[in-house]
Amino acid sequence: MSFDYFLYKGVKFSPGSYSQELLQYVENEFQVLDDDVYIVTYPKSGTHWLIEILSLINRDADPTWCNSVLIWLRSPWIETKEGQLQLKDLSSPRVLTSHLPFHIFPKAFFTSKAKIIYVMRNPKDIFVSLFYFAKIICHYKDPESFEQYLEDFLQGNILYNSWFEHVRGWMQMKDNSNFFIITYEELHQDLRGCILRICKFLGKELGDSKIDTIVKHSSFEAMKENKMSNYSLGTEEYIDHTKGTFMRKGTAGDWKNHFTVAQSEHFDRVYQEKMKDLNMKFFWEG
Ligand code: A3P
């Protein structure tokens, strides 16, 4: 798509789904309820996987809701124009989604009892996923080339700025009891164990067979088949179905099929520089 990003407090947004007024409203006036749960992610970290899991947990593993209501209506994005309209129809307890960086997240959250689940993923895999996603989703600028887009990603010259800023900002919350971190890689390695940990964080107790049902319905294959979750019903203004599919590959480590050795080493150098004083070791760092 051809448009210019605009800045809100230093963060890039596209004009279609976002506006200065809306972002200002979301930051300063949005009403956070104590029983809200927010899925917060940098784009392509596994946001929709979590929406599916939480949709199932909140309905005691009954898949009817997931099979009958579109995923973006089950957990709307608080910072988009569409999301703000959609969330008016939700009843409590709400599960809401956001890609907002820490410094512009709704202020009311920080004095509430609401919870955040922050999903992280190996940024090299995020980049590959985003490279394909940006080609099909209309509020992203089209990547010129893999090489150029990699530079844009590393410099944060894209929608929602850089992954590094996002993670560094949100890690200020890491010791808070209402903030839970989970990685895409952990979900892959032990989905059942992750669902149990999420249930514990949410104070939800479900028996073994219900947990098994959630595992089954939140698998990549199940979500890819589910028209309510796979974006095949996304409208033309939002997604160009001729250029790719939303449920693309669903694997960990796909970056190895895309990066040259030089690109990977360059990425590692930038990563180390930008993350050096964070003193946290992430799952994908081994
Ligand atoms: P790929 O493009 O690597 O396939 P987000 O929801 O944050 O936009 O992230 C989308 C990524 O998560 C895509 O990655 C998508 O395929 C993957 N994904 C979505 N649901 C998944 C699931 N149930 N299991 C594994 N990966 C999933």
Side-chain angles (χ1 to χ4, degrees):
M1 288 291 276
S2 169
F3 54 78
D4 285 328
Y5 289 128
F6 69 88
L7 290 179
Y8 177 77
K9 298 204 171 170
V11 184
K12 288 169 205 65
F13 291 95
S14 52
S17 291
Y18 311 86
S19 71
Q20 291 280 355
E21 297 70 33
L22 176 59
L23 291 161
Q24 203 160 18
Y25 162 79
V26 171
E27 183 188 354
N28 297 302
E29 289 167 57
F30 182 67
Q31 282 205 333
V32 171
L33 307 178
D34 280 337
D35 57 2
D36 282 348
V37 176
Y38 293 82
I39 298 168
V40 178
T41 62
Y42 188 81
K44 312 319 291 171
S45 300
T47 325
H48 293 80
W49 202 354
L50 255 291
I51 297 178
E52 202 78 349
I53 292 169
L54 290 200
S55 300
L56 289 157
I57 291 177
N58 278 356
R59 301 280 154 145
D60 287 343
D62 179 352
T64 313
W65 201 43
C66 287
N67 293 338
S68 57
V69 177
L70 289 161
I71 194 160
W72 57 86
L73 300 181
R74 284 185 256 133
S75 181
W77 263 254
I78 58 172
E79 68 266 27
T80 66
K81 294 176 190 170
E82 305 81 16
Q84 278 292 325
L85 293 174
Q86 292 154 356
L87 65 83
K88 292 191 169 46
D89 296 331
L90 286 183
S91 51
S92 290
R94 309 181 297 183
V95 175
L96 298 168
T97 305
S98 177
H99 293 316
L100 286 175
F102 176 73
H103 71 287
I104 53 174
F105 199 72
K107 287 198 169 88
F109 172 80
F110 300 98
T111 51
S112 77
K113 295 193 175 91
K115 295 181 175 176
I116 286 182
I117 298 182
Y118 188 70
V119 192
M120 300 180 70
R121 185 182 188 185
N122 183 338
K124 288 181 179 170
D125 279 337
I126 289 183
F127 170 70
V128 172
S129 183
L130 189 61
F131 176 69
Y132 289 102
F133 187 69
K135 294 181 186 190
I136 63 171
I137 297 294
C138 305
H139 60 239
Y140 276 88
K141 287 187 180 203
D142 284 336
E144 277 172 41
S145 65
F146 189 86
E147 188 76 31
Q148 177 58 48
Y149 206 56
L150 183 58
E151 232 21 68
D152 289 341
F153 180 85
L154 292 173
Q155 300 310 321
N157 197 15
I158 51 178
L159 182 61
Y160 289 107
N161 288 18
S162 90
W163 178 86
F164 304 102
E165 282 172 37
H166 206 275
V167 168
R168 292 177 62 91
W170 278 109
M171 284 310 105
Q172 295 171 67
M173 289 286 292
K174 71 177 176 9
D175 297 323
N176 289 44
S177 60
N178 62 343
F179 188 79
F180 181 83
I181 303 173
I182 197 146
T183 65
Y184 182 89
E185 290 76 15
E186 289 170 284
L187 288 162
H188 253 287
Q189 200 176 61
D190 178 16
L191 182 54
R192 194 171 204 286
C194 288
I195 293 169
L196 286 170
R197 282 169 55 208
I198 294 167
C199 283
K200 190 162 177 231
F201 173 68
L202 298 176
K204 188 97 186 170
E205 274 187 41
L206 295 174
D208 279 353
S209 73
K210 288 191 173 168
I211 299 290
D212 289 341
T213 307
I214 298 174
V215 170
K216 179 173 154 215
H217 287 282
S218 60
S219 72
F220 183 78
E221 293 70 28
M223 284 182 65
K224 197 175 168 74
E225 284 301 305
N226 183 356
K227 277 196 163 54
M228 295 297 143
S229 308
N230 66 13
Y231 273 84
S232 59
L233 298 176
T235 60
E236 272 174 23
E237 301 96 67
Y238 181 72
I239 181 166
D240 183 344
H241 295 287
T242 64
K243 293 189 178 156
T245 51
F246 175 78
M247 296 294 292
R248 193 185 62 90
K249 233 175 182 178
T251 57
D254 191 33
W255 68 269
K256 293 178 192 144
N257 302 315
H258 290 78
F259 280 55
T260 63
V261 172
Q263 284 168 339
S264 176
E265 286 174 357
H266 173 50
F267 197 111
D268 292 342
R269 275 194 298 277
V270 176
Y271 184 102
Q272 269 143 31
E273 178 57 30
K274 300 223 187 237
M275 305 294 271
K276 68 176 178 224
D277 52 354
L278 196 58
N279 292 324
M280 283 184 78
K281 196 165 164 69
F282 295 107
F283 196 85
W284 49 86
E285 293 173 19

PDB file of all heavy atoms in Angstrom, residues 36 72 74 77 81 86 115 126 145 148 151 157 183-184 197 252 285-286:
ATOM      1  N   ASP A  36     -10.417  -7.259  33.178  1.00  0.00           N
ATOM      2  CA  ASP A  36      -9.901  -7.351  31.797  1.00  0.00           C
ATOM      3  C   ASP A  36      -8.610  -8.167  31.758  1.00  0.00           C
ATOM      4  O   ASP A  36      -7.790  -8.089  32.678  1.00  0.00           O
ATOM      5  CB  ASP A  36      -9.516  -5.957  31.258  1.00  0.00           C
ATOM      6  CG  ASP A  36     -10.705  -5.120  30.812  1.00  0.00           C
ATOM      7  OD1 ASP A  36     -11.816  -5.664  30.686  1.00  0.00           O
ATOM      8  OD2 ASP A  36     -10.495  -3.903  30.583  1.00  0.00           O
ATOM      9  N   TRP A  72     -11.211 -11.697  15.561  1.00  0.00           N
ATOM     10  CA  TRP A  72     -10.960 -10.287  15.896  1.00  0.00           C
ATOM     11  C   TRP A  72     -12.152  -9.659  16.622  1.00  0.00           C
ATOM     12  O   TRP A  72     -12.023  -8.602  17.214  1.00  0.00           O
ATOM     13  CB  TRP A  72     -10.564  -9.478  14.657  1.00  0.00           C
ATOM     14  CG  TRP A  72     -11.545  -9.500  13.522  1.00  0.00           C
ATOM     15  CD1 TRP A  72     -12.615  -8.692  13.339  1.00  0.00           C
ATOM     16  CD2 TRP A  72     -11.520 -10.394  12.389  1.00  0.00           C
ATOM     17  NE1 TRP A  72     -13.265  -9.006  12.170  1.00  0.00           N
ATOM     18  CE2 TRP A  72     -12.616 -10.047  11.570  1.00  0.00           C
ATOM     19  CE3 TRP A  72     -10.674 -11.435  11.996  1.00  0.00           C
ATOM     20  CZ2 TRP A  72     -12.904 -10.722  10.368  1.00  0.00           C
ATOM     21  CZ3 TRP A  72     -10.966 -12.100  10.806  1.00  0.00           C
ATOM     22  CH2 TRP A  72     -12.056 -11.747  10.009  1.00  0.00           C
ATOM     23  N   ARG A  74     -13.768 -11.587  18.945  1.00  0.00           N
ATOM     24  CA  ARG A  74     -13.651 -12.180  20.284  1.00  0.00           C
ATOM     25  C   ARG A  74     -12.703 -11.378  21.153  1.00  0.00           C
ATOM     26  O   ARG A  74     -12.861 -11.290  22.351  1.00  0.00           O
ATOM     27  CB  ARG A  74     -13.157 -13.630  20.152  1.00  0.00           C
ATOM     28  CG  ARG A  74     -14.233 -14.593  19.698  1.00  0.00           C
ATOM     29  CD  ARG A  74     -13.711 -16.011  19.718  1.00  0.00           C
ATOM     30  NE  ARG A  74     -13.397 -16.519  18.400  1.00  0.00           N
ATOM     31  CZ  ARG A  74     -12.269 -17.160  18.081  1.00  0.00           C
ATOM     32  NH1 ARG A  74     -11.335 -17.366  18.978  1.00  0.00           N
ATOM     33  NH2 ARG A  74     -12.094 -17.618  16.860  1.00  0.00           N
ATOM     34  N   TRP A  77      -8.732  -5.320  18.970  1.00  0.00           N
ATOM     35  CA  TRP A  77      -7.544  -4.489  19.211  1.00  0.00           C
ATOM     36  C   TRP A  77      -7.994  -3.145  19.776  1.00  0.00           C
ATOM     37  O   TRP A  77      -8.786  -2.451  19.142  1.00  0.00           O
ATOM     38  CB  TRP A  77      -6.801  -4.251  17.893  1.00  0.00           C
ATOM     39  CG  TRP A  77      -5.674  -5.180  17.680  1.00  0.00           C
ATOM     40  CD1 TRP A  77      -4.345  -4.880  17.784  1.00  0.00           C
ATOM     41  CD2 TRP A  77      -5.737  -6.574  17.329  1.00  0.00           C
ATOM     42  NE1 TRP A  77      -3.597  -6.011  17.540  1.00  0.00           N
ATOM     43  CE2 TRP A  77      -4.416  -7.051  17.262  1.00  0.00           C
ATOM     44  CE3 TRP A  77      -6.793  -7.465  17.099  1.00  0.00           C
ATOM     45  CZ2 TRP A  77      -4.108  -8.367  16.957  1.00  0.00           C
ATOM     46  CZ3 TRP A  77      -6.493  -8.785  16.798  1.00  0.00           C
ATOM     47  CH2 TRP A  77      -5.170  -9.219  16.727  1.00  0.00           C
ATOM     48  N   LYS A  81      -9.419   1.691  15.000  1.00  0.00           N
ATOM     49  CA  LYS A  81     -10.774   2.242  14.857  1.00  0.00           C
ATOM     50  C   LYS A  81     -11.800   1.114  14.879  1.00  0.00           C
ATOM     51  O   LYS A  81     -12.827   1.190  15.556  1.00  0.00           O
ATOM     52  CB  LYS A  81     -10.893   3.008  13.530  1.00  0.00           C
ATOM     53  CG  LYS A  81     -10.032   4.250  13.461  1.00  0.00           C
ATOM     54  CD  LYS A  81     -10.114   4.907  12.082  1.00  0.00           C
ATOM     55  CE  LYS A  81      -9.075   5.986  11.939  1.00  0.00           C
ATOM     56  NZ  LYS A  81      -8.922   6.502  10.575  1.00  0.00           N
ATOM     57  N   GLN A  86     -15.754  -2.645  17.853  1.00  0.00           N
ATOM     58  CA  GLN A  86     -16.056  -4.052  18.164  1.00  0.00           C
ATOM     59  C   GLN A  86     -16.111  -4.317  19.663  1.00  0.00           C
ATOM     60  O   GLN A  86     -16.942  -5.095  20.131  1.00  0.00           O
ATOM     61  CB  GLN A  86     -15.000  -4.957  17.520  1.00  0.00           C
ATOM     62  CG  GLN A  86     -15.079  -4.952  16.003  1.00  0.00           C
ATOM     63  CD  GLN A  86     -13.738  -5.296  15.335  1.00  0.00           C
ATOM     64  OE1 GLN A  86     -12.729  -5.473  15.998  1.00  0.00           O
ATOM     65  NE2 GLN A  86     -13.738  -5.394  14.015  1.00  0.00           N
ATOM     66  N   LYS A 115      -5.067  -7.748  33.971  1.00  0.00           N
ATOM     67  CA  LYS A 115      -3.857  -8.547  33.750  1.00  0.00           C
ATOM     68  C   LYS A 115      -3.377  -8.424  32.298  1.00  0.00           C
ATOM     69  O   LYS A 115      -4.187  -8.207  31.395  1.00  0.00           O
ATOM     70  CB  LYS A 115      -4.156 -10.022  34.036  1.00  0.00           C
ATOM     71  CG  LYS A 115      -4.507 -10.266  35.492  1.00  0.00           C
ATOM     72  CD  LYS A 115      -4.786 -11.724  35.770  1.00  0.00           C
ATOM     73  CE  LYS A 115      -5.010 -11.903  37.274  1.00  0.00           C
ATOM     74  NZ  LYS A 115      -5.381 -13.243  37.660  1.00  0.00           N
ATOM     75  N   ILE A 126       9.919 -13.526  13.879  1.00  0.00           N
ATOM     76  CA  ILE A 126       8.932 -12.440  13.757  1.00  0.00           C
ATOM     77  C   ILE A 126       9.177 -11.701  12.451  1.00  0.00           C
ATOM     78  O   ILE A 126       8.242 -11.402  11.700  1.00  0.00           O
ATOM     79  CB  ILE A 126       9.053 -11.455  14.946  1.00  0.00           C
ATOM     80  CG1 ILE A 126       8.542 -12.116  16.223  1.00  0.00           C
ATOM     81  CG2 ILE A 126       8.296 -10.154  14.659  1.00  0.00           C
ATOM     82  CD1 ILE A 126       8.552 -11.217  17.433  1.00  0.00           C
ATOM     83  N   SER A 145      12.066  -5.162  -0.502  1.00  0.00           N
ATOM     84  CA  SER A 145      12.843  -6.384  -0.698  1.00  0.00           C
ATOM     85  C   SER A 145      13.126  -6.945   0.690  1.00  0.00           C
ATOM     86  O   SER A 145      13.003  -6.237   1.694  1.00  0.00           O
ATOM     87  CB  SER A 145      14.176  -6.074  -1.389  1.00  0.00           C
ATOM     88  OG  SER A 145      14.956  -5.262  -0.523  1.00  0.00           O
ATOM     89  N   GLN A 148      16.016  -4.881   2.300  1.00  0.00           N
ATOM     90  CA  GLN A 148      15.623  -3.542   2.748  1.00  0.00           C
ATOM     91  C   GLN A 148      14.688  -3.634   3.962  1.00  0.00           C
ATOM     92  O   GLN A 148      14.801  -2.864   4.921  1.00  0.00           O
ATOM     93  CB  GLN A 148      14.944  -2.789   1.584  1.00  0.00           C
ATOM     94  CG  GLN A 148      14.412  -1.402   1.943  1.00  0.00           C
ATOM     95  CD  GLN A 148      15.520  -0.491   2.471  1.00  0.00           C
ATOM     96  OE1 GLN A 148      16.590  -0.403   1.875  1.00  0.00           O
ATOM     97  NE2 GLN A 148      15.277   0.165   3.608  1.00  0.00           N
ATOM     98  N   GLU A 151      16.443  -4.212   7.201  1.00  0.00           N
ATOM     99  CA  GLU A 151      17.018  -2.978   7.749  1.00  0.00           C
ATOM    100  C   GLU A 151      15.926  -2.135   8.408  1.00  0.00           C
ATOM    101  O   GLU A 151      16.113  -1.606   9.507  1.00  0.00           O
ATOM    102  CB  GLU A 151      17.670  -2.198   6.595  1.00  0.00           C
ATOM    103  CG  GLU A 151      19.095  -1.760   6.781  1.00  0.00           C
ATOM    104  CD  GLU A 151      19.907  -2.521   7.821  1.00  0.00           C
ATOM    105  OE1 GLU A 151      20.224  -3.704   7.640  1.00  0.00           O
ATOM    106  OE2 GLU A 151      20.219  -1.902   8.848  1.00  0.00           O
ATOM    107  N   ASN A 157      11.814   1.102  11.515  1.00  0.00           N
ATOM    108  CA  ASN A 157      11.220   2.003  10.533  1.00  0.00           C
ATOM    109  C   ASN A 157       9.945   1.395   9.949  1.00  0.00           C
ATOM    110  O   ASN A 157       9.743   1.396   8.744  1.00  0.00           O
ATOM    111  CB  ASN A 157      12.285   2.237   9.444  1.00  0.00           C
ATOM    112  CG  ASN A 157      11.963   3.437   8.620  1.00  0.00           C
ATOM    113  OD1 ASN A 157      11.121   4.256   9.008  1.00  0.00           O
ATOM    114  ND2 ASN A 157      12.589   3.531   7.461  1.00  0.00           N
ATOM    115  N   THR A 183       6.447 -17.374  25.723  1.00  0.00           N
ATOM    116  CA  THR A 183       7.018 -17.261  24.379  1.00  0.00           C
ATOM    117  C   THR A 183       6.342 -18.236  23.407  1.00  0.00           C
ATOM    118  O   THR A 183       5.855 -19.299  23.806  1.00  0.00           O
ATOM    119  CB  THR A 183       8.542 -17.537  24.375  1.00  0.00           C
ATOM    120  OG1 THR A 183       8.771 -18.893  24.753  1.00  0.00           O
ATOM    121  CG2 THR A 183       9.289 -16.601  25.292  1.00  0.00           C
ATOM    122  N   TYR A 184       6.393 -17.840  22.151  1.00  0.00           N
ATOM    123  CA  TYR A 184       5.875 -18.666  21.052  1.00  0.00           C
ATOM    124  C   TYR A 184       6.589 -20.018  21.058  1.00  0.00           C
ATOM    125  O   TYR A 184       5.971 -21.062  20.840  1.00  0.00           O
ATOM    126  CB  TYR A 184       6.144 -17.911  19.745  1.00  0.00           C
ATOM    127  CG  TYR A 184       5.633 -18.570  18.490  1.00  0.00           C
ATOM    128  CD1 TYR A 184       4.348 -18.319  18.022  1.00  0.00           C
ATOM    129  CD2 TYR A 184       6.451 -19.425  17.751  1.00  0.00           C
ATOM    130  CE1 TYR A 184       3.891 -18.908  16.852  1.00  0.00           C
ATOM    131  CE2 TYR A 184       6.004 -20.023  16.591  1.00  0.00           C
ATOM    132  CZ  TYR A 184       4.719 -19.754  16.139  1.00  0.00           C
ATOM    133  OH  TYR A 184       4.275 -20.351  14.986  1.00  0.00           O
ATOM    134  N   ARG A 197      -0.151 -23.193  32.759  1.00  0.00           N
ATOM    135  CA  ARG A 197       0.446 -22.005  33.400  1.00  0.00           C
ATOM    136  C   ARG A 197      -0.432 -20.777  33.198  1.00  0.00           C
ATOM    137  O   ARG A 197      -0.586 -19.946  34.098  1.00  0.00           O
ATOM    138  CB  ARG A 197       1.843 -21.749  32.806  1.00  0.00           C
ATOM    139  CG  ARG A 197       2.906 -22.698  33.378  1.00  0.00           C
ATOM    140  CD  ARG A 197       4.197 -22.612  32.580  1.00  0.00           C
ATOM    141  NE  ARG A 197       4.722 -21.266  32.466  1.00  0.00           N
ATOM    142  CZ  ARG A 197       5.464 -20.832  31.440  1.00  0.00           C
ATOM    143  NH1 ARG A 197       5.766 -21.630  30.438  1.00  0.00           N
ATOM    144  NH2 ARG A 197       5.903 -19.604  31.420  1.00  0.00           N
ATOM    145  N   ALA A 252       8.693 -22.774  14.503  1.00  0.00           N
ATOM    146  CA  ALA A 252       9.762 -22.010  15.151  1.00  0.00           C
ATOM    147  C   ALA A 252      11.056 -22.287  14.393  1.00  0.00           C
ATOM    148  O   ALA A 252      11.370 -23.441  14.115  1.00  0.00           O
ATOM    149  CB  ALA A 252       9.891 -22.424  16.613  1.00  0.00           C
ATOM    150  N   GLU A 285      17.645 -17.654  22.852  1.00  0.00           N
ATOM    151  CA  GLU A 285      19.087 -17.415  22.915  1.00  0.00           C
ATOM    152  C   GLU A 285      19.842 -18.674  23.347  1.00  0.00           C
ATOM    153  O   GLU A 285      21.059 -18.700  23.347  1.00  0.00           O
ATOM    154  CB  GLU A 285      19.393 -16.262  23.885  1.00  0.00           C
ATOM    155  CG  GLU A 285      18.888 -14.914  23.392  1.00  0.00           C
ATOM    156  CD  GLU A 285      19.037 -13.817  24.429  1.00  0.00           C
ATOM    157  OE1 GLU A 285      19.828 -13.970  25.365  1.00  0.00           O
ATOM    158  OE2 GLU A 285      18.337 -12.799  24.304  1.00  0.00           O
ATOM    159  N   GLY A 286      19.087 -19.706  23.734  1.00  0.00           N
ATOM    160  CA  GLY A 286      19.693 -20.996  24.062  1.00  0.00           C
ATOM    161  C   GLY A 286      20.261 -21.073  25.464  1.00  0.00           C
ATOM    162  O   GLY A 286      20.257 -20.134  26.212  1.00  0.00           O
TER     163      GLY A 286
END
